[in-house]
């Protein structure tokens, strides 16, 4: 059996746990909105048309922020289409995902849903087909109390209180040639800086996110971030990161090591942002918003034949996730927490139906995909301060990432509540690993719980008929004695250890 060890010490602090780490993403794409969070004719719909069965799962998932309305969709979106009387809203062709947008759900509905859910809204602006004037009009509509043309229109539309949106994304993936209104880094940076300056004239307390690269594989990666930040550094707070992961060619070992690529991506963007800071002689540090991340089988999506019709809410990239996918999602959450000193916001893309932890059927049930569980348990158990953990682990060679540790881990410590949590992943495809954890620095006196997500079939999935096929289960191979813990982690598994501590 493989063996690994690590020490958890409260002195090894990274940063506070940021609740925005546990954000998600709702785009007008496929069935994320329509028959996802919003289905007025569903038996479980409330008076506003929101599915209450989905709402219950979103609360259980622990989502704190939601980015809206895109995504690629936003680069061709006229936000005015989605406000006012629903029977007067225009129906339009939606070019990004080749569908028909009814606009029955828009900004006011989204704001009402986030209020009901206790979720912070995060708004993306169209800097593809639109620009400065439309952005400041939208800000006035959303956030100004009243007494102006756009704010009074919001009030007349049934939203007397401002929506109070604090975090705004200045466009989406503008480096991508697929993007409506694709721009060069310099073109985009100039536009983003202009919009940011004007928005701050309205409200200097806004938090603004400049578009980074669509992924580390982009040929302009690195140069794009540098040029954009040279234009926007004084005007923005964040640079965005997007990345998706999938198993390719049956290479499960590399897929399980996806967190290693996420680590490298984050560290490269940090280095680039800090180089621009030095070049400009700036004092502040740019934070990172990893506002699209997930497992997404893009190779399947790109292999599909393009549609010739324009359907409403078609079934688009409804990936069905298996046990190994959930282990990877758990490992990616470890990477995000580990970099909490700079990654202070993140969005799992997306929330419902579209590469999502929650699935629904129109008029039917909602259920949890396998990936639901590591996200929900991390959101529920990560509290206080993130602690750096450096496992002493066996290393396995992978085809895509080279040598990668079998065990990855991070911990959080909340002395005020007398709790700590350790999040672990076993990336080995065929061997369990015994992990020994030195907890004497925490003075842990008992294991409150140890839940492991694993299935003997790494490709087992949850379905409508069997929604609990893959769920976290109590791991009984755990011992704690004299501050030293020993746990056996099965292959292809993700684990959360909850520890009880003496209160501070």
């Amino acid at each position: 059996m493989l063996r690994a060890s690590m020490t958890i010490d409260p002195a090894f602090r990274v940063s506070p746990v940021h609740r925005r780490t546990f954000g998600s993403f709702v785009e007008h794409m496929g069935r994320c909105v329509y028959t996802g969070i919003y289905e007025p004719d569903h038996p479980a719909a409330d008076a506003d048309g929101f599915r209450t069965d989905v709402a219950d799962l979103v609360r259980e998932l622990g989502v704190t922020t939601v980015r809206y309305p895109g995504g690629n969709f936003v680069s061709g979106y006229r936000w005015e289409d989605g406000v006012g009387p629903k029977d007067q809203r225009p129906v339009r062709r939606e070019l990004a995902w080749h569908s028909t947008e009814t606009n029955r759900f828009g900004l006011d509905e989204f704001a009402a849903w986030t209020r009901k859910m206790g979720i912070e809204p995060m708004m993306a602006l169209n800097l593809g087909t639109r620009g400065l004037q439309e952005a400041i009009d939208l800000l006035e509509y959303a956030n100004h109390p009243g007494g102006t043309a756009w704010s009074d229109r919001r009030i007349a539309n049934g939203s007397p209180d401002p929506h109070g949106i604090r975090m705004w994304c200045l466009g989406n993936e503008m480096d991508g040639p697929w993007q409506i209104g694709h721009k060069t880094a310099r073109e985009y940076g100039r536009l983003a800086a202009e919009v940011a300056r004007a928005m701050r004239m309205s409200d200097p307390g806004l938090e603004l996110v400049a578009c980074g690269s669509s992924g580390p594989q982009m040929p302009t990666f690195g140069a794009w971030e540098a040029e954009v930040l040279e234009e926007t550094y004084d005007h923005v707070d964040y640079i965005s990161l997007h990345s998706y992961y999938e198993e390719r060619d049956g290479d499960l070992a590399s897929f399980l090591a996806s967190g290693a690529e996420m680590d490298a991506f984050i560290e490269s963007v940090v280095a680039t942002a800090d180089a621009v800071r030095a070049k400009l002689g700036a004092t502040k540090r740019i934070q990172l918003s990893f506002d699209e991340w997930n497992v997404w089988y893009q190779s399947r999506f790109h292999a599909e034949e393009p549609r010739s019709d324009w359907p409403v809410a078609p079934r688009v990239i409804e990936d069905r996730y298996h046990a190994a996918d959930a282990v990877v999602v758990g490992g990616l959450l470890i990477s995000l927490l580990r970099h909490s000193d700079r990654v202070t916001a993140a969005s799992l893309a997306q929330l419902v139906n579209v590469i999502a932890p929650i699935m629904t059927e129109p008029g039917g049930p909602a259920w949890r995909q396998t990936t639901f569980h590591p996200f929900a348990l991390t959101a529920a158990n990560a509290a206080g301060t993130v602690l750096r953990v450096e496992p002493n682990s066996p290393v396995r060679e992978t085809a895509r990432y080279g040598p990668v540790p079998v065990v990855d881990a991070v911990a959080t410590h909340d002395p005020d509540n007398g709790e700590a949590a350790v999040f672990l992943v076993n990336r080995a495809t065929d061997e369990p690993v015994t992990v020994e954890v030195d907890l004497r620095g925490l003075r842990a006196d008992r294991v409150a719980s140890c839940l492991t997500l694993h299935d003997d079939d790494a490709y087992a999935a949850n379905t409508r008929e069997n929604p609990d096929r893959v769920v976290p289960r109590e791991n009984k191979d755990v011992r704690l004695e004299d501050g030293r813990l020993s746990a056996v982690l099965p292959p292809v598994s993700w684990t959360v250890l909850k520890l009880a501590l003496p209160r501070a």
Side-chain angles (χ1 to χ4, degrees), residues 13-22 262-263 266 293 330-344 346 374-375 377-379 381-389 409-412 421-423 494:
R13 299 177 182 177
V14 175
S15 83
V17 174
H18 302 290
R19 299 318 303 171
R20 281 177 172 170
T21 301
F22 306 108
M262 177 181 270
D263 289 335
I266 291 170
W293 70 272
L332 296 173
L333 285 161
I334 289 171
S335 293
L336 291 172
L337 284 170
R338 176 164 45 241
H339 293 95
S340 290
D341 58 329
R342 297 300 289 271
V343 180
T344 57
F375 189 101
L377 285 170
T378 305
N381 289 291
T385 301
V386 180
L387 302 181
R388 187 176 73 252
V389 180
V410 75
T412 61
V422 185
F423 305 91
W494 175 89

Side-chain angles (χ1 to χ4, degrees), residues 34-35 38-51 86 104:
Y34 305 110
T35 72
Y38 180 75
E39 188 177 352
D41 295 331
H42 193 277
D46 66 12
D48 293 317
F50 306 137
R51 284 186 59 158
K86 293 188 180 184
R104 306 292 282 184

Side-chain angles (χ1 to χ4, degrees), residues 61-75:
L61 188 63
V63 168
T64 55
T65 66
V66 169
R67 179 171 175 252
Y68 173 86
N72 294 350
F73 171 83
V74 77
S75 291

Side-chain angles (χ1 to χ4, degrees), residues 298-317:
Q298 290 180 294
S299 56
R300 300 175 190 167
F301 171 68
H302 292 307
E304 295 177 1
E305 292 292 327
R307 289 196 308 270
S308 58
D309 58 346
W310 298 85
V312 174
R315 293 179 184 264
V316 176
I317 61 169

Side-chain angles (χ1 to χ4, degrees), residues 353-426:
N353 288 326
V354 177
I355 53 170
I358 298 169
M359 296 299 296
T360 72
E361 279 298 319
W367 67 95
R368 305 166 190 83
Q369 292 231 65
T370 61
T371 55
F372 181 101
H373 299 292
F375 189 101
L377 285 170
T378 305
N381 289 291
T385 301
V386 180
L387 302 181
R388 187 176 73 252
V389 180
E390 297 185 2
N392 180 11
S393 167
V395 171
R396 290 286 177 86
E397 190 70 27
T398 65
R400 287 168 63 185
Y401 308 124
V404 175
V406 167
V407 174
D408 197 14
V410 75
T412 61
H413 177 223
D414 189 357
D416 293 338
N417 291 331
E419 297 175 344
V422 185
F423 305 91
L424 307 111
V425 62
N426 178 6

Side-chain angles (χ1 to χ4, degrees), residues 247 250-258 396-399 401 427 429:
E247 181 180 346
D251 185 1
L252 179 58
S254 291
F255 179 48
L256 293 170
S258 295
R396 290 286 177 86
E397 190 70 27
T398 65
Y401 308 124
R427 296 163 166 162
T429 60

